[in-house]
Coordinates of all heavy atoms in Angstrom, one line a residue:
R27 N 8.8 -1.8 -1.2 CA 8.0 -0.6 -1.3 C 8.2 0.1 -2.7 O 7.4 0.9 -3.1 CB 8.4 0.4 -0.2 CG 8.1 -0.1 1.2 CD 8.8 0.7 2.2 NE 8.4 2.1 2.2 CZ 7.4 2.5 3.0 NH1 6.8 1.7 3.9 NH2 7.0 3.8 3.0
G304 N -10.4 5.6 -1.6 CA -9.2 4.7 -1.6 C -8.5 5.0 -3.0 O -8.9 5.8 -3.8
C305 N -7.5 4.3 -3.2 CA -6.7 4.4 -4.4 C -6.4 3.0 -5.0 O -6.2 2.0 -4.2 CB -5.4 5.1 -4.2 SG -5.6 6.7 -3.5
G306 N -6.2 2.9 -6.3 CA -5.7 1.6 -6.9 C -6.6 0.4 -6.5 O -7.8 0.5 -6.6
T307 N -5.9 -0.7 -6.2 CA -6.7 -1.9 -5.9 C -7.6 -1.7 -4.8 O -8.7 -2.2 -4.8 CB -5.6 -3.0 -5.6 OG1 -4.9 -3.3 -6.8 CG2 -6.2 -4.3 -5.0
S308 N -7.3 -0.9 -3.8 CA -8.2 -0.7 -2.7 C -9.5 0.0 -3.1 O -10.6 -0.4 -2.6 CB -7.5 0.1 -1.6 OG -6.4 -0.6 -1.0
M309 N -9.3 0.9 -4.1 CA -10.5 1.5 -4.6 C -11.4 0.5 -5.3 O -12.7 0.5 -5.2 CB -10.1 2.6 -5.5 CG -11.3 3.4 -6.1 SD -10.8 4.8 -7.2 CE -10.1 3.9 -8.6
I351 N -10.3 3.1 2.7 CA -9.8 1.7 2.5 C -8.3 1.7 1.9 O -8.1 2.3 1.0 CB -10.8 0.9 1.6 CG1 -10.3 -0.6 1.4 CG2 -11.0 1.5 0.2 CD1 -11.4 -1.5 0.9
S352 N -7.4 1.1 2.7 CA -6.0 1.2 2.4 C -5.2 0.0 2.9 O -5.3 -0.1 4.2 CB -5.5 2.5 2.9 OG -4.0 2.6 2.7
Q353 N -4.6 -0.8 2.1 CA -3.8 -1.9 2.6 C -2.8 -1.3 3.6 O -2.6 -1.8 4.7 CB -3.2 -2.6 1.5 CG -2.4 -3.9 1.8 CD -1.0 -3.7 2.4 OE1 -0.7 -4.3 3.4 NE2 -0.2 -2.8 1.8
S354 N -2.0 -0.4 3.1 CA -0.8 0.1 3.9 C -1.2 1.0 5.0 O -0.6 1.1 6.0 CB 0.1 0.9 3.0 OG -0.6 2.1 2.5
G355 N -2.4 1.7 4.8 CA -2.8 2.7 5.8 C -1.9 3.9 5.8 O -2.0 4.8 6.7
E356 N -1.2 4.1 4.7 CA -0.3 5.3 4.6 C -0.5 6.1 3.4 O 0.3 7.1 3.1 CB 1.2 4.9 4.7 CG 1.6 4.0 6.0 CD 1.5 4.9 7.2 OE1 1.4 6.2 7.2 OE2 1.6 4.3 8.3
T357 N -1.3 5.6 2.4 CA -1.4 6.3 1.1 C -1.8 7.8 1.3 O -2.8 8.1 2.0 CB -2.5 5.6 0.3 OG1 -2.0 4.2 0.1 CG2 -2.6 6.2 -1.1
A358 N -1.0 8.7 0.8 CA -1.1 10.1 1.1 C -2.5 10.6 0.8 O -3.1 11.4 1.6 CB -0.1 10.9 0.4
T360 N -5.4 9.1 0.4 CA -6.5 8.4 1.3 C -6.5 9.1 2.7 O -7.5 9.3 3.2 CB -6.3 6.9 1.3 OG1 -6.1 6.4 0.0 CG2 -7.5 6.2 1.9
I377 N -10.4 0.8 6.8 CA -10.2 -0.7 6.5 C -8.8 -0.8 6.1 O -8.4 -0.4 5.0 CB -11.2 -1.1 5.4 CG1 -12.6 -0.8 5.8 CG2 -10.9 -2.6 5.1 CD1 -13.6 -1.1 4.7
V380 N -2.3 -2.8 7.7 CA -1.1 -2.6 8.6 C -1.6 -2.0 9.9 O -2.1 -0.9 10.0 CB -0.1 -1.6 7.9 CG1 1.1 -1.4 8.8 CG2 0.4 -2.3 6.5
I385 N -3.6 5.8 8.9 CA -5.0 5.9 8.6 C -5.8 5.1 9.7 O -6.8 5.6 10.2 CB -5.4 5.3 7.2 CG1 -4.8 6.3 6.1 CG2 -6.9 5.2 7.0 CD1 -4.9 5.8 4.7
E400 N 1.8 -7.8 3.2 CA 1.8 -8.0 1.8 C 3.0 -7.3 1.2 O 3.2 -6.0 1.3 CB 0.5 -7.4 1.2 CG 0.3 -7.7 -0.2 CD -1.0 -7.2 -0.8 OE1 -1.1 -6.0 -1.0 OE2 -1.9 -8.0 -1.1
G402 N 4.5 -8.1 -2.2 CA 4.5 -7.9 -3.6 C 3.8 -6.6 -3.9 O 2.8 -6.3 -3.3
V403 N 4.3 -5.8 -4.8 CA 3.8 -4.5 -5.1 C 2.3 -4.6 -5.6 O 1.4 -3.9 -5.2 CB 4.7 -3.7 -6.1 CG1 3.9 -2.5 -6.7 CG2 5.9 -3.2 -5.4
A404 N 2.1 -5.6 -6.4 CA 0.8 -5.9 -6.9 C -0.1 -6.5 -5.8 O 0.2 -7.6 -5.4 CB 0.8 -6.8 -8.1
S405 N -1.1 -5.8 -5.4 CA -1.9 -6.3 -4.2 C -2.8 -7.4 -4.6 O -3.4 -7.4 -5.6 CB -2.7 -5.1 -3.8 OG -3.5 -5.4 -2.6
T406 N -2.8 -8.5 -3.8 CA -3.6 -9.6 -4.1 C -4.4 -10.1 -2.9 O -5.6 -9.9 -2.9 CB -2.6 -10.8 -4.6 OG1 -1.7 -11.0 -3.6 CG2 -2.1 -10.6 -5.9
A408 N -4.6 -8.7 -0.1 CA -5.3 -7.5 0.6 C -6.6 -7.3 -0.1 O -7.6 -7.1 0.5 CB -4.4 -6.3 0.5
Q412 N -10.1 -7.4 1.7 CA -10.8 -6.1 1.7 C -12.3 -6.4 1.3 O -13.2 -5.9 1.8 CB -10.2 -5.1 0.8 CG -9.0 -4.4 1.3 CD -8.2 -3.6 0.2 OE1 -8.3 -3.9 -0.9 NE2 -7.4 -2.7 0.7
E485 N -9.9 -4.5 -11.8 CA -8.8 -5.0 -11.1 C -8.0 -6.0 -11.9 O -6.7 -6.0 -11.8 CB -9.4 -5.7 -9.8 CG -8.4 -6.3 -8.9 CD -7.2 -5.4 -8.4 OE1 -7.3 -4.2 -8.5 OE2 -6.2 -6.0 -7.9
L488 N -5.8 -4.0 -14.1 CA -4.8 -3.4 -13.3 C -3.6 -4.3 -13.0 O -2.4 -4.0 -13.2 CB -5.4 -2.8 -12.0 CG -4.4 -2.1 -11.1 CD1 -3.7 -0.9 -11.8 CD2 -5.0 -1.6 -9.8
K489 N -4.0 -5.6 -12.6 CA -3.0 -6.6 -12.2 C -2.1 -6.8 -13.5 O -0.9 -6.9 -13.4 CB -3.6 -7.9 -11.8 CG -4.2 -8.0 -10.4 CD -3.2 -8.0 -9.3 CE -2.8 -6.7 -8.7 NZ -3.6 -5.8 -8.1
E492 N 0.1 -3.8 -14.3 CA 1.1 -3.5 -13.3 C 2.4 -4.4 -13.5 O 3.5 -4.0 -13.4 CB 0.6 -3.8 -11.9 CG -0.2 -2.7 -11.3 CD -0.8 -3.1 -9.9 OE1 -1.4 -4.2 -9.8 OE2 -0.6 -2.3 -9.0
L605 N 6.7 1.5 -10.0 CA 5.6 1.4 -9.0 C 6.2 1.4 -7.6 O 7.3 0.9 -7.4 CB 4.8 0.1 -9.3 CG 4.1 0.0 -10.6 CD1 3.2 -1.2 -10.6 CD2 3.3 1.3 -10.9
A606 N 5.3 1.8 -6.7 CA 5.6 1.8 -5.3 C 4.5 1.0 -4.6 O 3.4 1.1 -4.9 CB 5.8 3.1 -4.8
K607 N 4.9 0.3 -3.5 CA 3.9 -0.4 -2.7 C 3.0 0.6 -1.9 O 1.8 0.4 -1.8 CB 4.6 -1.4 -1.8 CG 3.7 -2.2 -0.9 CD 3.0 -3.2 -1.7 CE 2.0 -4.0 -1.0 NZ 0.9 -4.6 -1.9
S608 N 3.7 1.6 -1.4 CA 3.0 2.5 -0.6 C 3.2 3.9 -1.1 O 4.4 4.3 -1.1 CB 3.5 2.3 0.9 OG 2.9 3.2 1.7
V609 N 2.2 4.5 -1.5 CA 2.3 5.8 -2.2 C 2.1 7.0 -1.2 O 1.0 7.4 -1.0 CB 1.4 5.9 -3.4 CG1 1.5 7.3 -4.1 CG2 1.8 4.9 -4.5
Ligands
LIG1 C1 0.0 1.6 -4.8 C2 0.1 0.1 -4.8 C3 -1.2 -0.6 -5.1 C4 -2.2 -0.1 -4.1 C5 -2.4 1.4 -4.0 C6 -3.2 1.9 -2.8 O1 -0.4 2.1 -6.1 O2 1.1 -0.2 -5.8 O3 -1.1 -1.9 -5.0 O4 -3.5 -0.6 -4.4 O5 -1.1 2.0 -3.9 O6 -2.5 1.5 -1.7 P1 -3.1 1.3 -0.3 O7 -1.9 0.9 0.6 O8 -3.7 2.5 0.1 O9 -4.1 0.2 -0.4

Side-chain angles (χ1 to χ4, degrees):
R27 295 168 65 95
C305 303
T307 291
S308 292
M309 182 178 69
I351 183 161
S352 172
Q353 185 285 129
S354 62
E356 302 293 348
T357 301
T360 311
I377 301 173
V380 179
I385 292 172
E400 189 178 68
V403 165
S405 184
T406 54
Q412 284 168 336
E485 177 57 13
L488 179 62
K489 283 287 93 58
E492 277 179 311
L605 298 186
K607 181 70 184 160
S608 175
V609 177

